[in-house]
Each structure stands twice: as structure tokens, then as C-alpha cells.
Amino acid sequence: MSAMSARHDVVIVGGGLVGASLAIALDRLGRDVALIEATPAGEVPAVFDERNLSFAAATVNALTALGVLQRLRHPTGPIQRIHVSRAGDFGRVLLQARDYGRSEFGQVVVARDFGTALEDALAACTHLTRYRPARFVALAGMGEGLRRVRIATADGETELETPLLVGADGSNSMVRDALGIAVERHDYAQRLFVARVRTSRAPDGTAWERFGNDGPTALLPRGDRHYGLIHGVPEDQAEAVAALDDAGWLAHAQAAFGWRAGKFLASGPRSAYPIVRVLAERLVAPRAVLLGNAAQSIHPLGAQGFNLGLRDALTLAELMAQSEDAGGDALLAEYVRRRQPDRERTLRFSDGLARLTSNPAPLLRPVRSAGLLAAGSVQAVQSMLVGGAMGFAGDVPALCREVAA
Ligand SMILES: Cc1cc2nc3c(=O)[nH]c(=O)nc-3n(C[C@H](O)[C@H](O)[C@H](O)COP(=O)(O)OP(=O)(O)OC[C@H]3O[C@@H](n4cnc5c(N)ncnc54)[C@H](O)[C@@H]3O)c2cc1C
């Protein structure tokens, strides 16, 4: 192990969607940040794959203010309407952004394109030190107002010290484990398939959400005249769906979704994700904080995971801008106070949507449908969807409120 230990104002473990966004926000504040990422230089982390990310309007504002969205190489798809329906029901909910005084609820961005834009923005940071490929190995004790961590780099193990350690290392966070923070896990027993599809009717700004008895099917309007298809199936059907050839897969998805977007004509490669909710029982420890998926990994159906994680990151950056002691107890307590309501609201929203389709017991079907679409509750569903879709509910960081230039 190297004898020298480098000191940084903040050490972020994980350069995925949330860790990279935080590093960019802190660089603007002139903080000396270390970003530890397992993926080597010249590659974007694997999480920046072909998944379609729905960015809430608040997220679009913040990422524009941070100079990231301007770096996207491909056009994004505006979400001007959200249409929710349930197989076998007559009810539906149609939300129009213009009814809420906006041109759109948010934008659809392909994760790979976003990863490249973040990488460009990280390369332009002037106070950032990047350790990659590098892995968090262990905590190495506390000093006066400091925490020490050990990381493994290509040159061997080295020690860093910092007033604030940030765990942004995803669902299976090693930082979280090392801090002794327990998790609550729930397996939805669903697998989510994601693919780019072309349909006979080109996207017109509508995001479609269709609930079936076996799982949800959503079409997100991408900026390249394709839809991002998301299709959930019970785990015991997942192997059979994975084995379908393209024609079989398109027919299967069409049967689940219906014909509102026309005929499904062609599909890009499918990727599949097991769906497990992982919730950290605490968000902070002395001189340490968990952000993004390390703090909460939620069902992707509500399209909220990154939107929530970005608000985590930007709230932390905002508090650090106002504080002398970046990782002190007072700052961390204020962080928890500010994040708790948004976290709980978003978890209820995502879990509520997921539960609508994850229990196929016939007796529960009418209850589920009534819960979603009965006339009396349409308003509740609408405010839940609009709040989630735009991301402005509650005490959001100032950058999220900034109107994009
Ligand atoms: C199919 C699907 C669709 C989704 N759609 C949406 C959507 O529409 N909208 C939305 O807001 N969210 C969506 N999400 C959720 C979103 O992808 C996550 O919320 C987001 O990736 C979380 O970012 P993160 O930075 O916290 O973690 P991750 O993106 O998982 O990044 C963690 C990073 O840490 C690194 N790492 C891990 N361990 C170590 C270590 N020991 N040392 C160093 N580095 C380490 C990894 O290499 C990785 O780069 C979706 C998720 C899925 C699966």
C-alpha cells in the first residue's frame, strides 16, 4: 500500500448516473472532489446501456443548468401526454402537459447517450480527480473531522481522507455495507424487458402506460422516431419471453400493449432486469452519506430512480455550498430532514404503481382497477402521476426549479 494518503473535500464512490452528476455539481462550487469508479478510462460504466430514461421536467432543468443536456449527441423525446389504461377495463387516464401550463412533462433520453454527455461534462471539470479503474475496498478509520477510506487502483491500494464520503455505488453498495447500514429488500418476482421498437404510428409525444394482469407495458416516445418499450413479466415466464425470436417477441408485446400506437414492426436488442427494491435503513453515518440507488433502488415502472437520486445529489451540493463543514453532523441531519419527504413520497408512488400489476390473484383485480381508474380516484391518480412526472413536489433543490435557458 502507498504510504501517502491524498486528501479531498469529498470522496464519491461510484461514477454512475448520480455520482457523476454530483461530481459535476460540486465542481461548479470549486470543491476538490475525488470520483472513484470501477470502469476504466475510455469506457462509460455498464449502467449507461440501452435503457430509456424518462427525465422529469425538474431533472431536465437541473441537467441543463449543469451544462450536461447540451452535450447529448441524439435528440430527446418530449413527453407531452401520459396515457394510462388497464387491460379489461374501460377506464383510462389521459394527462396533457398543456393543462398544467407546460409544453411537456419531461424528456426521454437513452442512457448510453446520457453517459457520453456526462463523460464530456466530467472531462471539462477543473477541480475533479478521477480514480479509474478503482474500487472502494474498505473504511480505514476516522481522524479529526475526517474519514479514511482504502481504494484499489491499477497501481495497488491507496488511502484517501475526506470530511465527507459519498456512497453512490449502486444497489449493491459496498460503502453501505462497510458503514454497517442494513437494508430492507423486496423481490417483485418480475423481470423487465427493455427494447427500442418501431411502430406503424410514429411517436407523437405520448407516453403510454398499460397495466395487464401479468405486468406493465409502457411505450416512451424517444427522439429518434422509435419508442422505448418496457415490458414486465412474472419471473416464471421470463425465460420463455427471453427465448422468443424477434417476431414472437413483437407479437407478445403487441398482445400485452394493444394497438394504440399502431402495429409493432421491428425491435432492437432486448435487455432484461430483475426487479428488486432495496432500501437503506439509514441515509447517513458519521462523515458519510448514501445517494441514489445505494440509498434506495426502486421499481423502474414509475421512472423515478434517477430523478430521485439527482434530487438527493443536488440537495447535498446545495447544503455544502452553504456550510463551512461539508460532512459535519449538522449538515447531514439537515440533509436527512430535507430528503425524507421526497424519498417517502416517491417510494409510495413507485411501489403503488408496481403493486397494481404484480399480484395476479383474480379476486384482487377489481380492487386494483378500482384503485387506479375508478371515477372517484382519477384525481388522486392524476396528481400522483403529475407530481412524479414533473418532479417539483416538495422542497426540491434550486437547480431543479431553474428554467432551462
Ligand atoms: C430498466 C430500467 C429503466 C429505468 N428507467 C428510469 C427512468 O425512466 N427514469 C429514472 O429516473 N430512473 C430510471 N431507472 C433507474 C436508474 O437507472 C437508477 O436510478 C440509476 O441508475 C441510479 O444511479 P446511481 O448512480 O445511484 O447507481 P448506478 O447507476 O448503479 O451507478 C453505480 C456506479 O458505481 C460503480 N461502482 C459500484 N461499486 C463500486 C465500487 N466498489 N467501487 C467503485 N465503483 C463502484 C458502478 O460501476 C456504477 O458506475 C431505470 C432503471 C432500470 C433498470
Side-chain angles (χ1 to χ4, degrees), residues 373-380:
L373 298 173
S377 63
V378 162
Q379 237 170 354

Side-chain angles (χ1 to χ4, degrees), residues 14 16-18 37-38 45 47 51 53-54 134 136 169 293 303 305-307:
L17 282 73
V18 173
E37 169 54 48
V47 66
R51 78 186 64 170
L53 297 166
S54 165
F136 168 83
D169 50 343
N293 272 17
F306 171 63
N307 290 310

Side-chain angles (χ1 to χ4, degrees), residues 22 164 166 289 291 312-320 331 335:
L22 176 65
L164 183 62
V166 176
V289 59
L291 301 187
D312 286 347
L314 298 181
T315 301
L316 182 66
E318 203 166 282
L319 290 172
M320 287 178 67
L331 182 143
Y335 173 81

